[in-house]
Amino acid sequence: MTKETASTTKSSGLLKWVEQLGNKLPHPFWMFVWITIIIIATSAVAALFGLSATDPGTGEEVFAKNLVSGEGLRRFLEEMVTNFAHFAPFGLVLVMLMGVSVAERSGLLTIVLRTMAFAVPRKVVLPFIFIIGACGNIGSDAGVVIVPPIAALIFMQMGLHPIAGLIAGYAGATAGFTANFFIAGTDVLLAGISTEVAAGIDPDIEVSATANWYFMIASTVMLGLGGAFIVSKFTIPKCKNFAIGDEGIEAFKETPKLTTKEKKGMLYAGLSVLIFITLIALLVIPDGAPLRNQESGGIVPSPFLRGLVPILFFFFAIPGYVYGKITGSIKKPDDLLKFMEQGMKDLSGYIVLMLVVAQFINLFSWSRLDTILAINGAEFLQSSGLTGPFMFTLFMMLVAFLNIFIGSGSAKWAIFAPIFIPMLAQLGYSPAFIQLMYRVGDSITNCISPLYIYFPLLIGWVRKYDKNIGIGTIISLLIPYAVVLFIMWVVLLFVWYWLGIPIGVGEGIYL
């Protein structure tokens, strides 16, 4: 096998084009600034020519509004701060990730993922690596950072090349980023944007964090089985000819052992989780429980679902604090505050980005261009017949392609949601289902994007074993995961669509 050296590796063909084009893209903040400027200019031209569309639901004629006007300027200045402060995803993400930060920085998440990975029987270790990679992302990007080196160690103990483990762990945590057995930050973030946009259709529409949960549970199992097939049939044979450097062997030669403090910390953290879950169950399950819907007595909708983010905050923060106190990573109460503060520092870029994203969504809505585009787009899809699976596939392929260049899932959804949610709602599809299709496309090409923020980390891990492996070789090992898992994911979505199975708690495919 021909090897590429680190110093001379050159991308060619499609990969070279992807890297060159991706590197020319500005930071998402400036990208949204330019998109917003384009929306403002377009609104002026559209209003000048009297662009309009007839709402098929009400028969009302919707006209474009000129944002380059005194009214537009006044509204922008008066509501800019409100748009940012009241932007739905903003508070939800901050609250949840403060809790996750406590569990992550106390060491609890790392220990839990590591212990689960090494406790699995050998015969199911391959699918489990993909499942733990996907589920590990409940702590933001924790799965991407933790799972690949653990998978390398496991593969080495199984007599397999550790680079195959690195590739498998990275593919599971990135291509399966949006899939999970649990409610994660991605669910909260995307649901917030979807709700913000869907409110323009019907103020009573609320896309909850559990809107895609059932489908994502099935997706996690599917990714595990599909990933295991790819790694056994493709990755392991391809990696047999790679060398293993002494530095690589030294880095991962021993299985990490739990210390007495870590074992005790996990025990008491587990007990705290059990007590917390029992308490929540008592507040939800019995008839007339305070977290049920006080009028209907049901759970969908209910204060429980609407308050899921604060519940998840305590779900992570409490065991994280207990574990930290016992292991010594938290020595005084102020350490808890430091962990949450550090989590907020990590989100500083997101907070700045949301300033311009909030303005874009609201300006797009004020101009009525979103409604006009949605109505005309829906009419086009209806007249062309592209209203079913073929249209779904094209939509997911478009998102997957753009994901190679634009890594931020929330940034892309902030662009797509104001267009596709109203458009497909005109055809009767629910915002939750449209969000679900977006998530499939947004997740699957993470693993093959050289612009993904953790790709350099993977290169560093791989070169601990073989310093001669270049970017092109690494990408070639990851492409089968993106292609095969995308096909499997699309088939799963079509089966779900044809059977009409609920995609989440209280959510279906249709409005």
Side-chain angles (χ1 to χ4, degrees):
M1 177 178 292
T2 302
K3 295 181 181 179
E4 303 166 74
T5 63
S7 58
T8 62
T9 296
K10 297 284 186 181
S11 299
S12 60
L14 178 61
L15 179 60
K16 181 178 181 179
W17 178 75
V18 167
E19 286 182 294
Q20 289 178 340
L21 181 60
N23 289 334
K24 292 179 180 179
L25 287 173
H27 186 280
F29 181 91
W30 297 115
M31 184 176 65
F32 270 100
V33 168
W34 283 110
I35 291 174
T36 302
I37 292 172
I38 292 171
I39 290 297
I40 293 172
T42 302
S43 73
V45 175
L48 178 64
F49 287 95
L51 184 65
S52 66
T54 303
D55 189 325
T58 64
E60 176 189 358
E61 191 75 9
V62 179
F63 291 91
K65 289 187 176 181
N66 183 8
L67 298 178
V68 188
S69 62
E71 180 187 3
L73 177 61
R74 288 190 296 271
R75 187 165 184 176
F76 173 73
L77 293 177
E78 291 173 359
E79 299 186 16
M80 177 180 174
V81 175
T82 304
N83 292 339
F84 176 56
H86 294 181
F87 191 52
F90 189 56
L92 297 177
V93 173
L94 295 186
V95 170
M96 179 171 174
L97 291 187
M98 275 193 285
V100 172
S101 182
V102 174
E104 184 177 1
R105 295 177 187 278
S106 68
L108 177 61
L109 269 183
T110 302
I111 291 296
V112 168
L113 291 175
R114 193 179 77 188
T115 302
M116 290 175 65
F118 284 106
V120 174
R122 181 186 177 110
K123 63 176 64 176
V124 296
V125 71
L126 293 184
F128 189 78
I129 284 175
F130 284 85
I131 291 173
I132 199 68
C135 292
N137 289 314
I138 192 171
S140 185
D141 298 328
V144 186
V145 177
I146 297 169
V147 174
I150 291 176
L153 200 160
I154 294 173
F155 270 51
M156 186 177 286
Q157 292 179 333
M158 293 170 61
L160 302 173
H161 201 291
I163 289 180
L166 283 171
I167 295 296
Y170 183 81
T174 52
F177 181 83
T178 197
N180 215 309
F181 285 145
F182 312 99
I183 302 302
T186 303
D187 298 278
V188 178
L189 175 58
L190 298 183
I193 296 175
S194 300
T195 300
E196 184 90 7
V197 174
I201 304 170
D202 184 346
D204 294 329
I205 294 179
E206 179 180 348
V207 182
S208 70
T210 58
N212 300 146
W213 194 17
Y214 300 158
F215 184 84
M216 287 307 161
I217 291 174
S219 297
T220 306
V221 177
M222 181 273 296
L223 288 166
L225 298 176
F229 173 80
I230 299 167
V231 73
S232 61
K233 298 298 182 181
F234 178 81
T235 310
I236 291 174
K238 286 286 185 180
C239 292
K240 284 182 178 179
N241 294 329
F242 293 153
I244 304 180
D246 294 337
E247 183 182 347
I249 295 175
E250 184 68 25
F252 297 107
K253 69 179 181 180
E254 293 185 1
T255 303
K257 303 292 185 181
L258 289 178
T259 65
T260 302
K261 283 187 176 181
E262 288 173 340
K263 291 179 180 178
K264 185 178 179 182
M266 285 189 65
L267 174 62
Y268 282 91
L271 289 174
S272 70
V273 169
L274 182 61
I275 293 171
F276 180 75
I277 292 175
T278 302
L279 176 61
I280 295 298
L282 292 174
L283 294 172
V284 174
I285 296 175
D287 291 336
L291 294 186
R292 281 180 172 269
N293 189 306
Q294 297 303 294
E295 295 181 1
S296 66
I299 297 179
V300 182
S302 67
F304 168 68
L305 292 180
R306 287 194 294 270
L308 194 58
V309 169
I311 291 173
L312 288 173
F313 168 82
F314 291 111
F315 178 82
F316 287 104
I318 292 173
Y321 180 78
V322 171
Y323 179 85
K325 286 293 290 183
I326 291 175
T327 59
S329 59
I330 296 178
K331 296 181 173 59
K332 55 184 184 298
D334 285 355
D335 291 338
L336 180 70
L337 304 180
K338 290 179 181 178
F339 287 163
M340 288 192 285
E341 290 170 0
Q342 290 168 357
M344 292 302 96
K345 289 178 182 178
D346 292 341
L347 284 174
S348 59
Y350 164 79
I351 294 171
V352 172
L353 179 60
M354 286 304 102
L355 172 64
V356 67
V357 169
Q359 309 313 319
F360 160 72
I361 288 180
N362 282 279
L363 285 170
F364 197 31
S365 177
W366 294 344
S367 69
R368 306 307 301 273
L369 292 175
D370 59 341
T371 304
I372 295 171
L373 181 60
I375 294 171
N376 290 331
E379 290 176 351
F380 167 76
L381 289 176
Q382 287 176 322
S383 63
S384 64
L386 301 179
T387 58
F390 185 64
M391 180 269 292
F392 299 161
T393 304
L394 290 179
F395 175 55
M396 289 184 285
M397 289 178 65
L398 173 64
V399 176
F401 175 74
L402 291 177
N403 187 53
I404 296 174
F405 310 101
I406 308 172
S408 173
S410 58
K412 289 193 300 295
W413 186 227
I415 295 173
F416 280 106
I419 298 172
F420 284 95
I421 285 182
M423 177 188 297
L424 297 181
Q426 295 281 345
L427 302 176
Y429 296 110
S430 70
F433 180 61
I434 302 163
Q435 173 185 282
L436 175 61
M437 291 190 289
Y438 169 80
R439 294 176 68 172
V440 172
D442 178 59
S443 181
I444 201 66
T445 47
N446 283 334
C447 64
I448 60 172
S449 173
L451 308 176
Y452 193 63
I453 57 175
Y454 292 105
F455 189 74
L457 187 60
L458 174 64
I459 295 174
W461 283 330
V462 168
R463 287 179 178 169
K464 284 184 178 180
Y465 297 105
D466 190 338
K467 296 182 181 299
N468 294 319
I469 293 180
I471 294 175
T473 300
I474 296 173
I475 292 285
S476 70
L477 290 170
L478 290 166
I479 285 176
Y481 294 97
V483 174
V484 175
L485 293 179
F486 179 70
I487 294 172
M488 293 180 67
W489 223 336
V490 170
V491 171
L492 177 65
L493 185 130
F494 286 169
V495 170
W496 217 275
Y497 170 76
W498 283 317
L499 295 178
I501 304 172
I503 58 176
V505 180
E507 292 285 0
I509 293 171
Y510 299 99
L511 281 169

